[in-house]
Amino acid sequence: MQINKVNETDATILRHIRAWEKKGALRLIYKKDIYKKIENYMLSGNTLELGAGAGFFKKNQRGVISSDILFLEHLDIICNSHFLAFKDASLTNIIGVDVLHHFEKPYLFFNECKRVLKPKGRLILIEPWISALSKFVYRYLHHEDCRFVKNPLDYPFGNSKNPWQGNAMIPYQIFNVCYINKFKSRWPNFKILTVKPFSFLAYPLTGGFKPYGIKSEKIISLLLKVEHVFKPIFLNIAAFRSLIVIENGQD
């Protein structure tokens, strides 16, 4: 994957920063829901965040090494997910929010995670998830692809892609019940601690980092409570995201 150098005027990063500053509802979703789920599974030790972008998580969780393939002054390092610039068994956690479904060659990423994570170290990801509702939204109302690919672990985008290109279907294909055994056979020492779908109401209604959507923290806080009450009913048909946690087992 090519490393692209840009400065902080990059339109996408600036758009994310503006949305973060203007939308209290968006900040609440990340801090109280998304980041909290990650923090609940993090172990004490060296932690690398991939695809950190505007660096919001590091502001919420100190001691994290923030990285991206983009050159951004507020991040710690430039880091290619396919060739991690870290020593063997040097990291306790690798985390990423909406990164896996952008990777050109996911198998190289998982190989690198196996190499650089300490024994019992954890890979913690928040990724798009496919349900009846989210499939429609991701396919017809979202700027990224949402389509089945032949080789989700190997070359889901063909021979080349740009860094922003994504396919929301990829994490679902890799970690749903139909394909997960192939993942386990390729990395038998990885232990999948959880694949937990969530987010069927509150996050989509904020509009994410788009200029539209609910901005009120009070409304989103209420919607999160509604999600918690009704998640056993709606998650299978309406989940938009999933928490994926993998432990690096002993060789």
Side-chain angles (χ1 to χ4, degrees):
M1 184 179 292
Q2 182 180 0
I3 295 176
N4 290 346
K5 291 187 177 181
V6 299
N7 57 39
E8 287 191 89
T9 61
D10 176 79
T12 302
I13 298 299
L14 285 177
R15 185 172 66 246
H16 287 184
I17 292 173
R18 291 193 187 105
W20 184 266
E21 292 173 346
K22 292 180 179 179
K23 288 186 175 183
L26 184 66
R27 296 194 300 271
L28 179 71
I29 285 282
Y30 273 84
K31 292 179 179 180
K32 300 298 183 181
D33 189 30
I34 294 173
Y35 292 162
K36 187 62 65 177
K37 285 178 169 59
I38 293 173
E39 292 164 0
N40 287 342
Y41 279 92
M42 284 175 61
L43 303 175
S44 178
N46 296 331
T47 298
L48 170 68
E49 181 188 11
L50 294 169
F56 300 132
F57 183 76
K58 186 174 181 178
K59 296 177 181 178
N60 194 66
Q61 181 81 24
R62 294 186 177 181
V64 172
I65 304 168
S66 59
S67 73
D68 211 309
I69 58 169
L70 305 172
F71 175 73
L72 297 166
E73 293 181 0
H74 60 274
L75 301 183
D76 297 314
I77 59 172
I78 299 174
C79 190
N80 188 329
S81 63
H82 296 0
F83 305 99
L84 298 175
F86 291 86
K87 295 180 180 179
D88 294 359
S90 60
L91 297 175
T92 303
N93 307 287
I94 298 173
I95 63 173
V97 178
D98 294 331
V99 293
L100 175 61
H101 70 285
H102 289 278
F103 292 161
E104 184 178 353
K105 301 172 184 176
Y107 77 96
L108 289 179
F109 166 65
F110 289 117
N111 286 344
E112 283 292 89
C113 289
K114 176 64 183 172
R115 180 182 66 81
V116 303
L117 280 172
K118 296 178 180 179
K120 303 298 182 181
R122 292 179 175 180
L123 170 62
I124 307 170
L125 301 171
I126 301 289
E127 289 292 326
W129 198 248
I130 303 304
S131 63
L133 177 60
S134 71
K135 184 177 181 179
F136 175 84
V137 173
Y138 284 137
R139 178 167 292 180
Y140 299 109
L141 303 177
H142 192 56
H143 65 282
E144 295 174 348
D145 286 338
C146 180
R147 57 184 175 82
F148 280 94
V149 295
K150 186 176 181 180
N151 297 306
L153 280 169
D154 297 290
Y155 302 94
F157 297 95
N159 294 325
S160 63
K161 67 179 290 292
N162 69 65
W164 294 109
Q165 185 181 358
N167 184 345
M169 187 69 70
I170 291 171
Y172 177 79
Q173 278 193 256
I174 294 174
F175 290 105
N176 76 357
V177 293
C178 297
Y179 205 92
I180 199 167
N181 287 333
K182 294 182 180 180
F183 178 89
K184 291 178 179 179
S185 68
R186 292 182 71 166
W187 294 279
N189 293 312
F190 274 161
K191 180 181 180 182
I192 299 175
L193 299 184
T194 189
V195 177
K196 187 181 297 183
F198 70 100
S199 182
F200 65 87
L201 188 64
Y203 182 81
L205 290 178
T206 67
F209 290 93
K210 303 293 185 182
Y212 51 78
I214 295 173
K215 296 180 174 63
S216 169
E217 293 184 40
K218 291 183 179 180
I219 294 175
I220 290 301
S221 180
L222 176 61
L223 289 176
L224 285 173
K225 293 177 182 178
V226 172
E227 282 193 7
H228 180 73
V229 172
F230 291 99
K231 65 181 180 181
I233 301 172
F234 289 105
L235 277 183
N236 288 335
I237 61 173
F240 275 78
R241 307 186 105 165
S242 184
L243 168 70
I244 301 164
V245 183
I246 300 168
E247 182 179 88
N248 192 20
Q250 299 280 358
D251 288 326

